[in-house]
Amino acid sequence: MEALGPAAKRFVVHWGEMGTRWGINRTVAQIHSLLYISPRPLNAEEIAQTLSVARSNVSTSLRELDRWGIIKVSHVLGDRRDYFESLRDTWEMIRLILEERKRREIDPTLRVLEACLEECETSKPVDSEVSERLRNMLGLFTTIDGWFREVMSLSSAELKRLVGMRRKVRKILRFGA
Amino acid sequence: MEALGPAAKRFVVHWGEMGTRWGINRTVAQIHSLLYISPRPLNAEEIAQTLSVARSNVSTSLRELDRWGIIKVSHVLGDRRDYFESLRDTWEMIRLILEERKRREIDPTLRVLEACLEECETSKPVDSEVSERLRNMLGLFTTIDGWFREVMSLSSAELKRLVGMRRKVRKILRFGA
DNA sequence: TGGTATGTTCTGTAAAGACAGAAACAACTG
DNA sequence: CAGTTGTTTCTGTCTTTACAGAACATACCA
């Protein structure tokens, strides 16, 4: 088990901190970053050693990462252990993460907003004030949802191209749709 | 203190839950949603009553919301109390939130990545593997940073127009930049 | 000057989340 | 089959975070 170099260590620690700000478990984030920078797939034991966390903790964290779809499991001939590695394509990773967050957060919110509006408009004293605000918010999320769908339908190569077109997009915007 | 209608209550509760998923304190999120749907500005006492939370909790939460720049304080003649309301423009809100998150998360991450790379490349056995991955990640964040800047420089009206142009953007993308 | 209304900061407790270690489980090996 | 290795799930503890209530601060008023 080779220890991490200072740069790698710093990256992993920072990633863990950032994770917590996004509602992602620190260990999960650390493992992800470790796998991302690791030149080769690692097994659970190595991960536990390197990060000084319990083996069980690694197990559940890996499952979470798997749920996000951003790690891969591989095997070595004659070795029963699971080896894990991160996706290399950063844009693909972002895409997957956005997809999952949409599923977990945007979709439920859309449903709740619709239900609230429903309720709001069928109640006897129709509360048009509240109803209008809810409708505004629903509009926002619908639009965001649409963008997500659009972005998610792009390949990561297309995404990269789109990103490279910032200035062009801006120009179009300024000088008329 | 009029209580919340069922639709409003549901919205507030959901908003609180979503907040926690984004690393935002539940009370903070609840207060924000309450102010957002409220037809009129509310004072701290009203907020505390409506949400059944301690006055002190409201105070700190409001300060946090203020830090995000998404609420406004107003006053009524002959009333010393502070009254709070949320921004109405949902896109403007999003813009402010993204701006703040960029400041808190993307900017520091860029700095860390640069420092890591620095360290990585000046160390004796230059670790080109790690260094390359860090560079990739830095590239990703640099691009994201660029988009943020771009988006943030747009007025909320422009943003809305851009959002309305999804299909057009897509077409451009498909049929050559 | 003390008294009252409002707002903020501090402090201890309670709730939630993270995690280590144990136990259970599963797959393989001789 | 018992023994070994690797993995997952369970359980209790520790840490962190959220929060109520108290104490404090500030401004207005009589």
Side-chain angles (χ1 to χ4, degrees), chain A residues 7 10 14 21-22 36 38 88 101 105 109 116 133 136 143 146-147 150 153 158 161 163 166 168 170 172-174 177, chain B residues 7 14 21-22 36 38 88 101 105 109 115-116 133 136 143 146-147 150 153 158 161 163 166 168 170 172-174 177:
Chain A
R10 188 164 179 188
H14 178 77
R21 299 212 181 194
W22 282 76
Y36 177 74
S38 171
R88 288 273 85 83
R101 292 204 88 126
E105 289 140 25
T109 298
C116 285
R133 275 142 218 236
N136 268 349
T143 307
W147 268 92
E150 201 78 31
S153 75
E158 284 173 317
R161 273 179 63 214
V163 161
R166 266 196 292 136
K168 193 177 178 92
R170 181 159 209 196
I172 293 169
L173 190 78
R174 298 269 185 212
Chain B
H14 177 77
R21 299 212 181 194
W22 283 77
Y36 176 73
S38 171
R88 288 272 85 84
R101 291 205 90 126
E105 289 141 25
T109 298
C116 285
R133 275 142 217 236
N136 268 348
T143 308
W147 269 92
E150 202 78 31
S153 76
E158 283 173 317
R161 274 179 60 213
V163 161
R166 266 196 292 137
K168 191 176 179 95
R170 181 159 209 195
I172 293 169
L173 191 78
R174 298 268 183 212

Short mmCIF file of all heavy atoms in Angstrom, two decimals, chain A residues 7 10 14 21-22 36 38 88 101 105 109 116 133 136 143 146-147 150 153 158 161 163 166 168 170 172-174 177, chain B residues 7 14 21-22 36 38 88 101 105 109 115-116 133 136 143 146-147 150 153 158 161 163 166 168 170 172-174 177:
data_model
loop_
_atom_site.label_atom_id
_atom_site.label_comp_id
_atom_site.label_asym_id
_atom_site.label_seq_id
_atom_site.Cartn_x
_atom_site.Cartn_y
_atom_site.Cartn_z
N ALA A 7 0.37 16.11 -2.75
CA ALA A 7 -0.60 16.74 -3.65
C ALA A 7 -1.89 15.92 -3.67
O ALA A 7 -2.99 16.46 -3.52
CB ALA A 7 -0.02 16.85 -5.05
N ARG A 10 -3.83 16.23 -0.45
CA ARG A 10 -4.53 17.51 -0.37
C ARG A 10 -5.81 17.51 -1.20
O ARG A 10 -6.86 17.99 -0.78
CB ARG A 10 -3.58 18.59 -0.88
CG ARG A 10 -4.09 19.98 -0.67
CD ARG A 10 -2.96 20.96 -0.84
NE ARG A 10 -3.43 22.32 -0.66
CZ ARG A 10 -2.70 23.39 -0.90
NH1 ARG A 10 -1.45 23.24 -1.31
NH2 ARG A 10 -3.19 24.60 -0.72
N HIS A 14 -9.60 17.88 0.29
CA HIS A 14 -10.46 18.96 -0.19
C HIS A 14 -11.76 18.43 -0.79
O HIS A 14 -12.84 18.96 -0.55
CB HIS A 14 -9.72 19.80 -1.23
CG HIS A 14 -10.57 20.90 -1.81
ND1 HIS A 14 -10.83 22.06 -1.13
CD2 HIS A 14 -11.25 20.99 -2.97
CE1 HIS A 14 -11.62 22.83 -1.86
NE2 HIS A 14 -11.90 22.20 -2.99
N ARG A 21 -20.40 19.82 1.64
CA ARG A 21 -21.18 21.01 1.31
C ARG A 21 -22.31 20.71 0.32
O ARG A 21 -23.22 21.51 0.12
CB ARG A 21 -20.29 22.07 0.67
CG ARG A 21 -19.19 22.53 1.57
CD ARG A 21 -18.89 23.97 1.28
NE ARG A 21 -17.83 24.46 2.12
CZ ARG A 21 -17.54 25.75 2.25
NH1 ARG A 21 -18.24 26.63 1.58
NH2 ARG A 21 -16.57 26.12 3.03
N TRP A 22 -22.17 19.60 -0.35
CA TRP A 22 -23.18 19.24 -1.34
C TRP A 22 -24.06 18.11 -0.85
O TRP A 22 -24.73 17.45 -1.63
CB TRP A 22 -22.51 18.82 -2.65
CG TRP A 22 -22.04 19.99 -3.42
CD1 TRP A 22 -20.94 20.75 -3.16
CD2 TRP A 22 -22.68 20.57 -4.55
NE1 TRP A 22 -20.86 21.76 -4.07
CE2 TRP A 22 -21.92 21.68 -4.93
CE3 TRP A 22 -23.84 20.26 -5.27
CZ2 TRP A 22 -22.26 22.49 -6.01
CZ3 TRP A 22 -24.17 21.06 -6.34
CH2 TRP A 22 -23.40 22.16 -6.71
N TYR A 36 -10.36 8.48 -8.46
CA TYR A 36 -10.14 9.31 -9.65
C TYR A 36 -8.66 9.53 -9.95
O TYR A 36 -8.23 9.46 -11.10
CB TYR A 36 -10.86 10.65 -9.52
CG TYR A 36 -10.58 11.53 -10.71
CD1 TYR A 36 -11.16 11.28 -11.95
CD2 TYR A 36 -9.69 12.61 -10.60
CE1 TYR A 36 -10.87 12.06 -13.05
CE2 TYR A 36 -9.40 13.39 -11.70
CZ TYR A 36 -10.00 13.12 -12.92
OH TYR A 36 -9.69 13.89 -14.01
N SER A 38 -6.17 7.72 -8.73
CA SER A 38 -5.35 6.51 -8.69
C SER A 38 -5.02 6.00 -10.09
O SER A 38 -5.89 5.89 -10.94
CB SER A 38 -6.08 5.42 -7.92
OG SER A 38 -5.38 4.20 -8.06
N ARG A 88 -13.04 8.08 -16.07
CA ARG A 88 -11.98 9.03 -16.40
C ARG A 88 -12.56 10.30 -17.01
O ARG A 88 -12.05 11.39 -16.81
CB ARG A 88 -11.00 8.40 -17.40
CG ARG A 88 -10.08 7.32 -16.88
CD ARG A 88 -8.80 7.91 -16.29
NE ARG A 88 -9.00 8.30 -14.90
CZ ARG A 88 -8.93 7.46 -13.86
NH1 ARG A 88 -8.61 6.20 -14.03
NH2 ARG A 88 -9.14 7.88 -12.65
N ARG A 101 -29.04 13.64 -9.60
CA ARG A 101 -29.61 14.70 -8.75
C ARG A 101 -30.96 15.12 -9.28
O ARG A 101 -31.88 15.43 -8.52
CB ARG A 101 -28.68 15.91 -8.68
CG ARG A 101 -27.39 15.61 -7.94
CD ARG A 101 -26.76 16.86 -7.35
NE ARG A 101 -27.29 17.14 -6.04
CZ ARG A 101 -26.54 17.32 -4.94
NH1 ARG A 101 -25.25 17.27 -5.02
NH2 ARG A 101 -27.11 17.58 -3.78
N GLU A 105 -33.94 15.06 -6.82
CA GLU A 105 -34.37 16.35 -6.30
C GLU A 105 -35.35 17.10 -7.18
O GLU A 105 -36.37 17.58 -6.71
CB GLU A 105 -33.14 17.22 -6.01
CG GLU A 105 -32.37 16.72 -4.80
CD GLU A 105 -30.86 16.78 -4.98
OE1 GLU A 105 -30.39 17.61 -5.77
OE2 GLU A 105 -30.15 15.97 -4.34
N THR A 109 -39.57 17.43 -6.65
CA THR A 109 -40.04 18.79 -6.43
C THR A 109 -41.12 19.16 -7.44
O THR A 109 -42.13 19.80 -7.09
CB THR A 109 -38.86 19.78 -6.53
OG1 THR A 109 -37.91 19.47 -5.52
CG2 THR A 109 -39.33 21.21 -6.35
N CYS A 116 -49.29 20.68 -4.94
CA CYS A 116 -49.64 21.87 -4.17
C CYS A 116 -50.58 22.77 -4.97
O CYS A 116 -51.58 23.27 -4.45
CB CYS A 116 -48.39 22.66 -3.81
SG CYS A 116 -47.41 21.93 -2.50
N ARG A 133 -47.50 32.24 -7.00
CA ARG A 133 -46.09 32.02 -6.68
C ARG A 133 -45.67 30.58 -6.93
O ARG A 133 -44.58 30.30 -7.43
CB ARG A 133 -45.83 32.38 -5.22
CG ARG A 133 -45.56 33.87 -5.10
CD ARG A 133 -46.16 34.45 -3.85
NE ARG A 133 -46.69 35.78 -4.12
CZ ARG A 133 -46.32 36.85 -3.45
NH1 ARG A 133 -45.44 36.75 -2.49
NH2 ARG A 133 -46.82 38.02 -3.75
N ASN A 136 -45.17 30.14 -10.54
CA ASN A 136 -43.87 30.69 -10.95
C ASN A 136 -42.74 29.70 -10.68
O ASN A 136 -41.90 29.45 -11.53
CB ASN A 136 -43.56 31.97 -10.18
CG ASN A 136 -44.02 33.19 -10.92
OD1 ASN A 136 -44.38 33.10 -12.10
ND2 ASN A 136 -44.03 34.33 -10.26
N THR A 143 -38.51 24.54 -16.52
CA THR A 143 -37.47 24.97 -17.45
C THR A 143 -36.15 24.29 -17.14
O THR A 143 -35.47 23.77 -18.04
CB THR A 143 -37.27 26.49 -17.36
OG1 THR A 143 -38.54 27.12 -17.53
CG2 THR A 143 -36.32 26.96 -18.43
N GLY A 146 -36.25 20.87 -18.29
CA GLY A 146 -36.07 20.78 -19.73
C GLY A 146 -34.60 20.85 -20.12
O GLY A 146 -34.12 20.06 -20.93
N TRP A 147 -33.87 21.78 -19.49
CA TRP A 147 -32.44 21.90 -19.78
C TRP A 147 -31.69 20.63 -19.40
O TRP A 147 -30.84 20.17 -20.13
CB TRP A 147 -31.85 23.10 -19.04
CG TRP A 147 -31.87 24.32 -19.90
CD1 TRP A 147 -32.85 25.25 -19.97
CD2 TRP A 147 -30.89 24.70 -20.88
NE1 TRP A 147 -32.55 26.19 -20.90
CE2 TRP A 147 -31.35 25.89 -21.47
CE3 TRP A 147 -29.67 24.15 -21.29
CZ2 TRP A 147 -30.62 26.55 -22.47
CZ3 TRP A 147 -28.95 24.81 -22.28
CH2 TRP A 147 -29.42 25.99 -22.86
N GLU A 150 -32.22 18.06 -21.95
CA GLU A 150 -31.46 18.40 -23.15
C GLU A 150 -29.99 18.04 -22.98
O GLU A 150 -29.41 17.32 -23.78
CB GLU A 150 -31.60 19.92 -23.39
CG GLU A 150 -31.31 20.35 -24.79
CD GLU A 150 -32.51 20.07 -25.70
OE1 GLU A 150 -33.66 20.10 -25.21
OE2 GLU A 150 -32.28 19.81 -26.88
N SER A 153 -29.14 14.43 -22.82
CA SER A 153 -29.28 13.67 -24.05
C SER A 153 -28.05 13.83 -24.93
O SER A 153 -27.89 13.14 -25.93
CB SER A 153 -30.53 14.12 -24.82
OG SER A 153 -30.28 15.36 -25.44
N GLU A 158 -20.41 16.00 -27.40
CA GLU A 158 -21.26 17.14 -27.77
C GLU A 158 -21.26 18.19 -26.67
O GLU A 158 -21.21 19.39 -26.94
CB GLU A 158 -22.69 16.65 -28.02
CG GLU A 158 -22.86 15.95 -29.35
CD GLU A 158 -24.25 15.33 -29.49
OE1 GLU A 158 -24.73 14.72 -28.52
OE2 GLU A 158 -24.83 15.45 -30.57
N ARG A 161 -18.33 20.29 -26.89
CA ARG A 161 -18.44 21.27 -27.98
C ARG A 161 -19.31 22.43 -27.56
O ARG A 161 -18.98 23.60 -27.78
CB ARG A 161 -19.01 20.60 -29.22
CG ARG A 161 -17.94 19.95 -30.09
CD ARG A 161 -18.54 19.28 -31.30
NE ARG A 161 -19.20 20.19 -32.19
CZ ARG A 161 -20.29 19.88 -32.91
NH1 ARG A 161 -20.81 18.67 -32.80
NH2 ARG A 161 -20.82 20.76 -33.71
N VAL A 163 -19.88 23.52 -24.67
CA VAL A 163 -19.16 24.32 -23.69
C VAL A 163 -18.15 25.23 -24.38
O VAL A 163 -17.93 26.36 -23.97
CB VAL A 163 -18.46 23.40 -22.68
CG1 VAL A 163 -17.36 24.13 -21.96
CG2 VAL A 163 -19.48 22.86 -21.70
N ARG A 166 -19.36 28.93 -25.80
CA ARG A 166 -19.90 29.96 -24.93
C ARG A 166 -20.06 31.32 -25.62
O ARG A 166 -21.11 31.91 -25.63
CB ARG A 166 -18.97 30.14 -23.73
CG ARG A 166 -19.39 29.34 -22.54
CD ARG A 166 -18.69 29.84 -21.33
NE ARG A 166 -17.27 29.57 -21.38
CZ ARG A 166 -16.34 30.46 -21.03
NH1 ARG A 166 -16.70 31.67 -20.65
NH2 ARG A 166 -15.07 30.14 -21.07
N LYS A 168 -20.06 32.15 -28.68
CA LYS A 168 -20.99 32.14 -29.79
C LYS A 168 -22.43 32.25 -29.28
O LYS A 168 -23.21 33.06 -29.77
CB LYS A 168 -20.81 30.84 -30.57
CG LYS A 168 -21.51 30.86 -31.92
CD LYS A 168 -21.26 29.59 -32.70
CE LYS A 168 -22.00 29.60 -34.02
NZ LYS A 168 -21.18 30.15 -35.10
N ARG A 170 -23.42 33.44 -26.61
CA ARG A 170 -23.65 34.77 -26.07
C ARG A 170 -23.98 35.78 -27.16
O ARG A 170 -24.87 36.60 -27.04
CB ARG A 170 -22.38 35.21 -25.34
CG ARG A 170 -22.56 36.57 -24.73
CD ARG A 170 -21.59 36.77 -23.63
NE ARG A 170 -22.16 37.68 -22.67
CZ ARG A 170 -21.46 38.30 -21.76
NH1 ARG A 170 -20.18 38.05 -21.65
NH2 ARG A 170 -22.04 39.12 -20.93
N ILE A 172 -25.26 35.24 -30.09
CA ILE A 172 -26.62 35.00 -30.58
C ILE A 172 -27.62 35.68 -29.66
O ILE A 172 -28.55 36.34 -30.08
CB ILE A 172 -26.92 33.49 -30.63
CG1 ILE A 172 -26.06 32.82 -31.68
CG2 ILE A 172 -28.38 33.25 -30.93
CD1 ILE A 172 -26.08 31.31 -31.61
N LEU A 173 -27.36 35.53 -28.39
CA LEU A 173 -28.25 36.07 -27.41
C LEU A 173 -28.36 37.58 -27.51
O LEU A 173 -29.44 38.17 -27.47
CB LEU A 173 -27.74 35.68 -26.02
CG LEU A 173 -28.72 35.97 -24.91
CD1 LEU A 173 -29.79 34.92 -24.90
CD2 LEU A 173 -27.99 36.01 -23.59
N ARG A 174 -27.21 38.18 -27.66
CA ARG A 174 -27.19 39.65 -27.68
C ARG A 174 -27.84 40.21 -28.95
O ARG A 174 -28.55 41.19 -28.91
CB ARG A 174 -25.74 40.16 -27.63
CG ARG A 174 -25.02 39.77 -26.37
CD ARG A 174 -25.18 40.83 -25.32
NE ARG A 174 -24.37 40.47 -24.16
CZ ARG A 174 -24.70 40.78 -22.91
NH1 ARG A 174 -25.78 41.49 -22.67
NH2 ARG A 174 -23.95 40.41 -21.91
N ALA A 177 -32.53 36.62 -31.10
CA ALA A 177 -32.73 35.18 -31.21
C ALA A 177 -33.10 34.84 -32.64
O ALA A 177 -33.59 33.79 -32.92
CB ALA A 177 -33.82 34.75 -30.25
N ALA B 7 -51.66 23.52 1.14
CA ALA B 7 -50.75 23.55 0.00
C ALA B 7 -49.46 24.25 0.39
O ALA B 7 -48.36 23.76 0.14
CB ALA B 7 -51.40 24.26 -1.18
N HIS B 14 -41.58 20.51 2.06
CA HIS B 14 -40.76 19.92 1.00
C HIS B 14 -39.49 20.73 0.76
O HIS B 14 -38.40 20.18 0.59
CB HIS B 14 -41.56 19.83 -0.30
CG HIS B 14 -40.76 19.29 -1.44
ND1 HIS B 14 -40.48 17.94 -1.59
CD2 HIS B 14 -40.14 19.90 -2.48
CE1 HIS B 14 -39.74 17.77 -2.67
NE2 HIS B 14 -39.52 18.93 -3.23
N ARG B 21 -30.74 18.33 1.47
CA ARG B 21 -29.99 17.58 0.46
C ARG B 21 -28.92 18.40 -0.23
O ARG B 21 -28.03 17.88 -0.89
CB ARG B 21 -30.93 17.07 -0.63
CG ARG B 21 -31.99 16.14 -0.11
CD ARG B 21 -32.32 15.15 -1.18
NE ARG B 21 -33.35 14.23 -0.74
CZ ARG B 21 -33.65 13.11 -1.36
NH1 ARG B 21 -32.97 12.81 -2.45
NH2 ARG B 21 -34.58 12.32 -0.93
N TRP B 22 -29.06 19.71 -0.12
CA TRP B 22 -28.10 20.60 -0.76
C TRP B 22 -27.18 21.24 0.27
O TRP B 22 -26.56 22.25 -0.01
CB TRP B 22 -28.83 21.68 -1.54
CG TRP B 22 -29.34 21.15 -2.82
CD1 TRP B 22 -30.44 20.38 -3.01
CD2 TRP B 22 -28.77 21.33 -4.12
NE1 TRP B 22 -30.57 20.07 -4.33
CE2 TRP B 22 -29.59 20.64 -5.03
CE3 TRP B 22 -27.64 22.02 -4.58
CZ2 TRP B 22 -29.29 20.61 -6.40
CZ3 TRP B 22 -27.36 22.00 -5.93
CH2 TRP B 22 -28.18 21.29 -6.82
N TYR B 36 -41.15 33.25 0.42
CA TYR B 36 -41.42 33.27 -1.02
C TYR B 36 -42.92 33.22 -1.32
O TYR B 36 -43.41 33.94 -2.19
CB TYR B 36 -40.73 32.11 -1.74
CG TYR B 36 -41.08 32.06 -3.19
CD1 TYR B 36 -40.55 33.00 -4.08
CD2 TYR B 36 -41.97 31.11 -3.69
CE1 TYR B 36 -40.91 33.00 -5.42
CE2 TYR B 36 -42.34 31.10 -5.03
CZ TYR B 36 -41.80 32.05 -5.89
OH TYR B 36 -42.17 32.04 -7.21
N SER B 38 -45.32 33.94 0.85
CA SER B 38 -46.12 34.88 1.64
C SER B 38 -46.52 36.10 0.80
O SER B 38 -45.69 36.70 0.13
CB SER B 38 -45.33 35.35 2.85
OG SER B 38 -46.03 36.41 3.47
N ARG B 88 -38.85 38.05 -5.67
CA ARG B 88 -39.95 37.44 -6.44
C ARG B 88 -39.42 36.76 -7.69
O ARG B 88 -39.94 35.77 -8.16
CB ARG B 88 -40.96 38.51 -6.86
CG ARG B 88 -41.82 39.08 -5.76
CD ARG B 88 -43.09 38.25 -5.55
NE ARG B 88 -42.81 37.14 -4.63
CZ ARG B 88 -42.84 37.23 -3.31
NH1 ARG B 88 -43.14 38.34 -2.71
NH2 ARG B 88 -42.56 36.17 -2.57
N ARG B 101 -22.60 30.04 -4.50
CA ARG B 101 -22.02 28.69 -4.46
C ARG B 101 -20.69 28.68 -5.21
O ARG B 101 -19.75 28.01 -4.81
CB ARG B 101 -22.97 27.66 -5.06
CG ARG B 101 -24.20 27.43 -4.20
CD ARG B 101 -24.80 26.06 -4.43
NE ARG B 101 -24.22 25.09 -3.54
CZ ARG B 101 -24.91 24.30 -2.72
NH1 ARG B 101 -26.22 24.35 -2.71
NH2 ARG B 101 -24.30 23.44 -1.95
N GLU B 105 -17.56 27.35 -3.36
CA GLU B 105 -17.13 26.00 -3.71
C GLU B 105 -16.21 25.92 -4.93
O GLU B 105 -15.17 25.27 -4.88
CB GLU B 105 -18.37 25.11 -3.92
CG GLU B 105 -19.08 24.81 -2.60
CD GLU B 105 -20.58 24.84 -2.70
OE1 GLU B 105 -21.10 24.61 -3.80
OE2 GLU B 105 -21.25 25.10 -1.68
N THR B 109 -11.99 25.42 -4.90
CA THR B 109 -11.55 24.19 -5.54
C THR B 109 -10.52 24.49 -6.63
O THR B 109 -9.52 23.78 -6.77
CB THR B 109 -12.74 23.43 -6.14
OG1 THR B 109 -13.63 23.07 -5.08
CG2 THR B 109 -12.29 22.16 -6.84
N ALA B 115 -2.87 24.54 -6.69
CA ALA B 115 -1.81 24.29 -5.72
C ALA B 115 -1.33 22.84 -5.79
O ALA B 115 -0.12 22.58 -5.74
CB ALA B 115 -2.33 24.61 -4.31
N CYS B 116 -2.26 21.92 -5.94
CA CYS B 116 -1.90 20.50 -6.03
C CYS B 116 -1.02 20.25 -7.25
O CYS B 116 0.01 19.56 -7.16
CB CYS B 116 -3.15 19.64 -6.12
SG CYS B 116 -4.05 19.47 -4.58
N ARG B 133 -4.39 13.70 -14.22
CA ARG B 133 -5.78 13.67 -13.76
C ARG B 133 -6.17 14.98 -13.10
O ARG B 133 -7.28 15.48 -13.29
CB ARG B 133 -5.97 12.52 -12.78
CG ARG B 133 -6.25 11.24 -13.53
CD ARG B 133 -5.59 10.06 -12.89
NE ARG B 133 -5.11 9.13 -13.90
CZ ARG B 133 -5.44 7.86 -13.95
NH1 ARG B 133 -6.25 7.37 -13.07
NH2 ARG B 133 -4.96 7.08 -14.90
N ASN B 136 -6.85 17.43 -15.76
CA ASN B 136 -8.18 17.21 -16.34
C ASN B 136 -9.26 17.85 -15.49
O ASN B 136 -10.16 18.51 -15.98
CB ASN B 136 -8.48 15.70 -16.44
CG ASN B 136 -8.06 15.16 -17.78
OD1 ASN B 136 -7.76 15.92 -18.70
ND2 ASN B 136 -8.04 13.84 -17.90
N THR B 143 -13.70 25.35 -17.00
CA THR B 143 -14.80 25.53 -17.94
C THR B 143 -16.10 25.88 -17.22
O THR B 143 -16.82 26.80 -17.60
CB THR B 143 -15.02 24.24 -18.75
OG1 THR B 143 -13.79 23.84 -19.32
CG2 THR B 143 -16.05 24.47 -19.84
N GLY B 146 -16.00 29.34 -16.16
CA GLY B 146 -16.26 30.24 -17.28
C GLY B 146 -17.75 30.38 -17.56
O GLY B 146 -18.26 31.49 -17.72
N TRP B 147 -18.46 29.25 -17.55
CA TRP B 147 -19.90 29.30 -17.76
C TRP B 147 -20.60 30.08 -16.68
O TRP B 147 -21.49 30.88 -16.95
CB TRP B 147 -20.47 27.88 -17.84
CG TRP B 147 -20.50 27.38 -19.24
CD1 TRP B 147 -19.53 26.68 -19.86
CD2 TRP B 147 -21.52 27.61 -20.21
NE1 TRP B 147 -19.89 26.43 -21.16
CE2 TRP B 147 -21.11 26.98 -21.40
CE3 TRP B 147 -22.76 28.27 -20.18
CZ2 TRP B 147 -21.89 27.00 -22.56
CZ3 TRP B 147 -23.53 28.29 -21.32
CH2 TRP B 147 -23.10 27.67 -22.50
N GLU B 150 -20.17 33.69 -17.27
CA GLU B 150 -21.00 34.08 -18.41
C GLU B 150 -22.46 34.25 -17.98
O GLU B 150 -23.07 35.29 -18.18
CB GLU B 150 -20.90 32.98 -19.48
CG GLU B 150 -21.26 33.45 -20.87
CD GLU B 150 -20.11 34.21 -21.49
OE1 GLU B 150 -18.93 33.92 -21.18
OE2 GLU B 150 -20.38 35.13 -22.28
N SER B 153 -23.22 37.08 -15.71
CA SER B 153 -23.14 38.42 -16.27
C SER B 153 -24.42 38.77 -17.02
O SER B 153 -24.64 39.90 -17.42
CB SER B 153 -21.94 38.52 -17.21
OG SER B 153 -22.24 37.87 -18.43
N GLU B 158 -32.24 38.30 -19.87
CA GLU B 158 -31.42 37.62 -20.88
C GLU B 158 -31.38 36.12 -20.61
O GLU B 158 -31.45 35.31 -21.52
CB GLU B 158 -29.99 38.19 -20.88
CG GLU B 158 -29.89 39.52 -21.56
CD GLU B 158 -28.49 40.14 -21.40
OE1 GLU B 158 -27.94 40.07 -20.29
OE2 GLU B 158 -27.97 40.66 -22.39
N ARG B 161 -34.33 34.49 -21.85
CA ARG B 161 -34.30 34.33 -23.31
C ARG B 161 -33.42 33.15 -23.70
O ARG B 161 -33.78 32.33 -24.53
CB ARG B 161 -33.79 35.60 -23.97
CG ARG B 161 -34.91 36.61 -24.20
CD ARG B 161 -34.39 37.87 -24.84
NE ARG B 161 -33.77 37.66 -26.13
CZ ARG B 161 -32.75 38.37 -26.60
NH1 ARG B 161 -32.22 39.32 -25.86
NH2 ARG B 161 -32.25 38.13 -27.79
N VAL B 163 -32.72 30.58 -22.01
CA VAL B 163 -33.41 29.35 -21.65
C VAL B 163 -34.47 28.99 -22.68
O VAL B 163 -34.68 27.83 -23.01
CB VAL B 163 -34.03 29.49 -20.25
CG1 VAL B 163 -35.11 28.45 -20.03
CG2 VAL B 163 -32.95 29.37 -19.20
N ARG B 166 -33.40 26.85 -26.05
CA ARG B 166 -32.83 25.50 -25.98
C ARG B 166 -32.73 24.80 -27.32
O ARG B 166 -31.67 24.36 -27.74
CB ARG B 166 -33.69 24.64 -25.05
CG ARG B 166 -33.20 24.62 -23.65
CD ARG B 166 -33.83 23.49 -22.91
NE ARG B 166 -35.26 23.70 -22.74
CZ ARG B 166 -36.17 22.77 -22.91
NH1 ARG B 166 -35.80 21.56 -23.32
NH2 ARG B 166 -37.44 23.01 -22.70
N LYS B 168 -32.92 25.89 -30.30
CA LYS B 168 -32.04 26.55 -31.26
C LYS B 168 -30.59 26.20 -30.97
O LYS B 168 -29.84 25.83 -31.87
CB LYS B 168 -32.24 28.07 -31.14
CG LYS B 168 -31.58 28.84 -32.27
CD LYS B 168 -31.88 30.33 -32.17
CE LYS B 168 -31.21 31.08 -33.29
NZ LYS B 168 -32.11 31.27 -34.44
N ARG B 170 -29.45 23.71 -29.58
CA ARG B 170 -29.23 22.31 -29.93
C ARG B 170 -28.99 22.13 -31.43
O ARG B 170 -28.10 21.41 -31.85
CB ARG B 170 -30.45 21.51 -29.51
CG ARG B 170 -30.27 20.06 -29.82
CD ARG B 170 -31.17 19.24 -28.99
NE ARG B 170 -30.57 17.95 -28.78
CZ ARG B 170 -31.23 16.90 -28.32
NH1 ARG B 170 -32.47 17.03 -27.99
NH2 ARG B 170 -30.61 15.77 -28.15
N ILE B 172 -27.86 24.29 -33.54
CA ILE B 172 -26.53 24.79 -33.88
C ILE B 172 -25.48 23.73 -33.60
O ILE B 172 -24.60 23.46 -34.40
CB ILE B 172 -26.20 26.04 -33.04
CG1 ILE B 172 -27.11 27.20 -33.44
CG2 ILE B 172 -24.74 26.44 -33.23
CD1 ILE B 172 -27.05 28.38 -32.51
N LEU B 173 -25.68 23.13 -32.46
CA LEU B 173 -24.73 22.12 -32.04
C LEU B 173 -24.66 20.95 -33.01
O LEU B 173 -23.59 20.48 -33.39
CB LEU B 173 -25.14 21.61 -30.67
CG LEU B 173 -24.11 20.75 -29.98
CD1 LEU B 173 -23.05 21.63 -29.39
CD2 LEU B 173 -24.78 19.93 -28.92
N ARG B 174 -25.82 20.51 -33.41
CA ARG B 174 -25.88 19.34 -34.28
C ARG B 174 -25.31 19.64 -35.67
O ARG B 174 -24.61 18.83 -36.25
CB ARG B 174 -27.33 18.87 -34.45
CG ARG B 174 -27.98 18.44 -33.17
CD ARG B 174 -27.80 16.96 -32.95
NE ARG B 174 -28.50 16.56 -31.74
CZ ARG B 174 -28.11 15.58 -30.95
NH1 ARG B 174 -27.04 14.89 -31.22
NH2 ARG B 174 -28.79 15.29 -29.88
N ALA B 177 -20.69 23.92 -35.61
CA ALA B 177 -20.50 25.14 -34.86
C ALA B 177 -20.21 26.28 -35.83
O ALA B 177 -19.71 27.30 -35.47
CB ALA B 177 -19.35 24.97 -33.89
#
